[in-house]
Amino acid sequence: MYKTNFDFVVEKAKASGKKIRVAIAGADNENILLGAFQAEAAGFAQLLLVGDEAKITTMLKNLSLYDRNYTIVNEPDYEVVVQKSIDLVKMGMADVLMRGNTQTRDFLLPILDKKNALLTPGRLLTHINILKLPDYPRILAVSDVTIIPEPNLSQRKEIIRNMADFFTDLGYEKSNIALLSLVEKPTFHMPDTVEAETIAKDCAAKPIGTSNVVGPIAYDLIVSKEAARLKGFDCPYCGEFDGIVAPNLITGNLLIKALQIHGHCSSFGVIYGANIPIAITSRSDPKEQSYLSLAAAAAMFFKK
């Protein structure tokens, strides 16, 4: 069954009655701390705050969080703060990794480093951003929006796989996934449309996870049954898609930022494909995004 808002993500996080141990890499960020402590108060997160202890302590006091439950892991060198957080996972002290006050590149490189053994063999690492649009009847995921600049055909299939499995983790029986393009008719001078048609046909013959895959398809047809009717586009999933796979990184990233800024939609993000849940939000995102990202991470961790 599709979901209309983010409440079910929090319910899923709370369902086990257990807590995920979260290592926040660079914990001296106001909104990330506020969201993380909201997760702690909700009962599904135990916090390990990694970074400069003096800065973290000052911020906790300023935010009236100093007397709450947490552990500070002092690491004043921010060039290794992500590695320090990963080491906590490797030592069995943390279950989930979360981006704090670090650059995206600095956060991702240690995750991608094979020596840290966070990558699942045979799986691609992708960033899934989940949005709730004011005028769309269900939540909508977009990927990849951070990691794969120009995915080839096989990588796009892996992006679909991660998205389908993510929805399964959240309790979906089946998800509808669209391969975003400029047009619906494949044309040789737009290689992504030809690839999308090939992928959709392959998925029809051999489904990827529990998903229905359609493409190539333009954005208006993805989100509107009326647009599909007016254009004479025969597809039962128009206006009912759960996920969008972008043809490239700039398209996916631009789409979510435009929807967030100009569409005033709420959202949160996770990195999928690693052998641990990874929560990721922008350092300027509202605290609710950090909270929801951790809720999704908890749902992923306790999926079994």
Side-chain angles (χ1 to χ4, degrees):
M1 180 63 179
Y2 71 87
K3 309 299 182 182
T4 60
N5 57 53
F6 293 146
D7 291 348
F8 82 100
V9 181
V10 176
E11 292 169 4
K12 191 82 173 174
K14 293 179 177 180
S16 71
K18 300 177 182 178
K19 296 182 180 182
I20 51 170
R21 298 169 299 170
V22 185
I24 304 177
D28 58 318
N29 177 275
E30 181 175 322
N31 282 346
I32 288 173
L33 274 178
L34 288 170
F37 274 96
Q38 186 177 351
E40 184 268 336
F44 60 82
Q46 178 181 333
L47 307 181
L48 289 83
L49 311 180
V50 187
D52 188 310
E53 183 171 9
K55 291 181 180 178
I56 294 171
T57 299
T58 298
M59 187 164 288
L60 290 172
K61 289 179 178 178
N62 290 339
L63 297 173
S64 300
L65 296 171
Y66 183 71
D67 294 328
R68 298 281 288 274
N69 294 319
Y70 57 87
T71 299
I72 295 180
V73 180
N74 187 37
E75 181 48 75
D77 185 353
Y78 271 65
E79 291 188 3
V80 298
V81 73
V82 179
Q83 184 61 55
K84 182 81 169 187
S85 302
I86 291 173
D87 289 342
L88 294 174
V89 174
K90 293 166 67 176
M91 290 186 293
M93 297 174 64
D95 309 307
V96 170
L97 181 66
M98 184 177 193
R99 177 192 175 185
N101 189 17
T102 63
Q103 297 284 345
T104 302
R105 179 181 180 277
D106 295 337
F107 182 67
L108 290 176
L109 283 179
I111 295 171
L112 294 168
D113 191 333
K114 291 183 179 179
K115 73 177 176 63
N116 284 320
L118 294 183
L119 304 180
T120 302
R123 297 299 292 262
L124 194 68
L125 207 66
T126 57
H127 181 188
I128 304 173
N129 198 274
I130 304 90
L131 308 106
K132 179 64 187 83
L133 282 64
D135 54 356
Y136 191 67
R138 57 179 74 197
I139 67 168
L140 187 65
V142 182
S143 190
D144 179 73
V145 298
T146 299
I147 301 173
I148 313 298
E150 294 286 344
N152 57 33
L153 189 147
S154 63
Q155 289 174 324
R156 290 176 79 184
K157 286 185 176 180
E158 286 303 308
I159 294 171
I160 295 169
R161 185 181 305 280
N162 282 354
M163 185 177 285
D165 287 352
F166 174 71
F167 278 117
T168 298
D169 290 350
L170 294 185
Y172 280 58
E173 293 182 5
K174 203 155 199 176
S175 53
N176 303 326
I177 297 175
L179 305 179
L180 177 65
S181 190
L182 181 65
V183 295
E184 302 79 59
K185 186 176 180 179
T187 177
F188 74 93
H189 64 278
M190 295 182 184
D192 71 279
T193 64
V194 178
E195 279 193 359
E197 181 186 46
T198 300
I199 293 168
K201 287 180 177 178
D202 289 348
C203 290
K206 186 178 180 181
I208 296 178
T210 55
S211 63
N212 301 308
V213 178
V214 176
I217 181 170
Y219 182 77
D220 57 340
L221 299 179
I222 293 173
V223 299
S224 172
K225 285 185 178 296
E226 179 65 4
R229 185 187 72 80
L230 292 171
K231 285 186 172 183
F233 186 74
D234 185 17
C235 173
Y237 309 123
C238 290
E240 297 182 4
F241 280 101
D242 302 298
I244 296 175
V245 172
N248 52 48
L249 185 61
I250 191 170
T251 301
N253 196 276
L254 178 60
L255 175 61
I256 63 162
K257 286 182 178 177
L259 290 172
Q260 288 170 338
I261 296 171
H262 302 294
H264 306 291
C265 65
S266 53
S267 68
F268 66 91
V270 296
I271 291 178
Y272 204 96
N275 54 30
I276 61 165
I278 300 175
I280 184 169
T281 57
S282 172
R283 289 168 291 172
S284 61
D285 285 339
K287 64 179 182 180
E288 289 75 19
Q289 293 197 26
S290 298
Y291 173 61
L292 290 167
S293 186
L294 282 180
M300 290 160 59
F301 185 77
F302 294 122
K303 63 184 178 181
K304 298 180 181 180

